[in-house]
């Protein structure tokens, strides 16, 4: 199995594929001021196994298109949505977030948790703007520096992993320049990293290594995940995930 398949295998059984929690998703939804409405058109980009999609479907009772690059994640989403009797409201779609097959102004809400880094925050927000109707809302969560300065070790780590990492003020400036008005921003809680993401992930690692016969590349993936979790533990004062909630400005 190649590395990508192994990573998918590790993450497909997880409730989330990145830091975040249902309560943070609900908080962001509340910040939008949008209320339950069957006619809302919602797009969840990079939805993974769909934790946020399910929260939105439950809260809004609307039709949601859930997009991810990997069909394995969407298969889990379909199973989860059927178990929660939300299957009829969710339309899974395998597509890349930089080639979304929708016309202009197709959605009232564009949502994306922990995923835009795959194409970069600025590029993603620029591309996705046309998908929103005027006055539609966008909600994106993204890795963010929490202070203006930080230890060299963590600075170097994130700059190597994701050169787009920046402070919340810088992200907001980017959004405003791209034609969004900012409604709200907040940093996700430590619980959303640890209880909702790292704990379930770390608890799956032994079984993951065992089912792939402890092959060196499998142990290596497990090691990288453990190192990432301890990096958060040591440096959480300096970096976090922020939600950015904006509205498409009328030009
Ligand atoms: N939103 C989910 C998953 C976050 S992890 C959650 O919060 O749990 C990032 C997700 O982006 C993964 O599911 C990954 O498969 C997806 N992804 C990566 N590259 C992508 C691309 N080019 N287009 C669409 N989805 C992509």
């Amino acid at each position: 199995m190649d590395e990508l398949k192994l990573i998918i295998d590790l993450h497909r059984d997880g409730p989330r594929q990145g830091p975040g929690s249902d309560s943070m998703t609900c908080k962001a939804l509340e910040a939008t001021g949008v209320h339950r409405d069957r006619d809302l058109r919602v797009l969840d980009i990079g939805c993974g196994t769909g934790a946020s999609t399910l929260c939105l479907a439950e809260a809004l009772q609307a039709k949601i298109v859930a997009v991810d690059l990997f069909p394995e994640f969407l298969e889990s989403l379909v199973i989860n949505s059927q178990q929660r009797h939300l299957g009829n409201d969710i339309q899974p779609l395998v597509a890349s977030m930089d080639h979304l097959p929708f016309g202009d102004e197709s959605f009232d809400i564009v949502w994306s948790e922990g995923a835009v880094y795959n194409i970069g925050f600025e590029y993603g927000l620029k591309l996705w703007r046309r998908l929103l109707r005027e006055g539609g809302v966008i909600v994106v969560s993204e890795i963010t520096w929490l202070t203006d300065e930080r230890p060299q070790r963590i600075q170097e780590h994130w700059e190597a992993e994701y050169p787009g990492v920046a402070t919340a003020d810088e992200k907001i400036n980017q959004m405003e320049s791209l034609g969004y008005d900012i409604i709200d921003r907040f940093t996700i809680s430590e619980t959303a990293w640890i209880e909702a993401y790292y704990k379930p992930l770390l608890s799956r690692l032994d079984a993951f290594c065992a089912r792939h016969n402890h092959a060196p590349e499998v142990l290596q993936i497990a090691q990288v995940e453990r190192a990432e979790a301890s990096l958060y533990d040591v440096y959480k004062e300096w970096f976090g995930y922020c939600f950015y909630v904006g509205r498409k400005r009328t030009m």
Side-chain angles (χ1 to χ4, degrees):
M1 214 184 256
D2 67 22
E3 192 187 344
L4 185 59
K5 289 279 174 215
L6 286 169
I7 290 173
I8 291 170
D9 180 64
L10 171 61
H11 284 277
R12 65 186 297 175
D13 296 332
R16 286 187 175 258
Q17 288 66 48
S21 70
D22 290 3
S23 92
M24 295 294 115
T25 301
C26 289
K27 183 173 171 173
L29 181 60
E30 233 177 272
T32 64
V34 173
H35 297 293
R36 174 178 298 216
D37 180 349
R38 284 211 165 271
D39 295 331
L40 286 172
R41 301 157 302 164
V42 185
L43 176 64
D44 190 356
I45 304 176
C47 62
T49 59
S52 57
T53 320
L54 295 167
C55 284
L56 296 174
E58 219 152 55
L60 295 171
Q61 309 270 299
K63 292 270 178 269
I64 306 185
V65 181
V67 173
D68 205 275
L69 192 56
F70 300 116
E72 294 88 338
F73 290 153
L74 294 175
E75 279 162 24
S76 300
L77 167 57
V78 168
I79 293 167
N80 295 338
S81 66
Q82 283 164 353
Q83 279 166 356
R84 285 167 60 173
H85 305 290
L86 294 166
N88 291 339
D89 293 332
I90 296 171
Q91 183 195 331
L93 177 73
V94 177
S96 187
M97 58 176 78
D98 54 356
H99 285 97
L100 293 169
F102 304 107
D104 293 355
E105 310 211 359
S106 296
F107 296 96
D108 302 291
I109 304 179
V110 168
W111 201 276
S112 183
E113 292 193 27
V116 71
Y117 72 88
N118 286 293
I119 56 170
F121 183 84
E122 273 190 290
Y123 185 55
L125 271 90
K126 186 175 171 185
L127 277 187
W128 300 343
R129 188 175 183 280
R130 70 165 189 88
L131 300 174
L132 276 177
R133 67 160 169 81
E134 298 282 320
V137 296
I138 187 150
V139 176
V140 175
S141 76
E142 162 87 335
I143 194 90
T144 302
W145 291 130
L146 301 180
T147 56
D148 289 335
E149 290 185 18
R150 72 272 332 170
Q152 193 179 349
R153 162 95 175 81
I154 193 65
Q155 173 96 22
E156 285 174 357
H157 170 82
W158 277 115
E159 275 173 2
E161 288 290 313
Y162 180 46
V165 62
T167 61
D169 286 347
E170 288 169 309
K171 297 276 171 197
I172 283 172
N173 284 340
Q174 292 168 2
M175 276 180 84
E176 285 176 337
S177 316
L178 289 166
Y180 299 96
D181 291 323
I182 304 302
I183 302 174
D184 195 17
R185 65 155 141 170
F186 62 90
T187 307
I188 70 168
S189 64
E190 211 176 305
T191 311
W193 282 83
I194 294 176
E195 302 299 327
Y197 180 57
Y198 280 133
K199 270 197 189 165
L201 173 61
L202 297 180
S203 75
R204 295 194 306 277
L205 286 178
D206 286 346
F208 167 70
C209 292
R211 75 176 168 269
H212 296 289
N213 304 316
H214 302 275
E217 63 274 25
V218 173
L219 298 180
Q220 170 66 17
I221 290 172
Q223 167 54 25
V224 168
E225 299 286 4
R226 287 195 182 97
E228 202 190 289
S230 56
L231 204 72
Y232 175 69
D233 201 39
V234 175
Y235 293 104
K236 60 191 167 210
E237 201 179 312
W238 291 282
F239 73 93
Y241 248 90
C242 282
F243 266 94
Y244 299 91
V245 181
R247 188 180 305 286
K248 182 175 177 176
R249 189 185 305 137
T250 309
M251 288 303 210

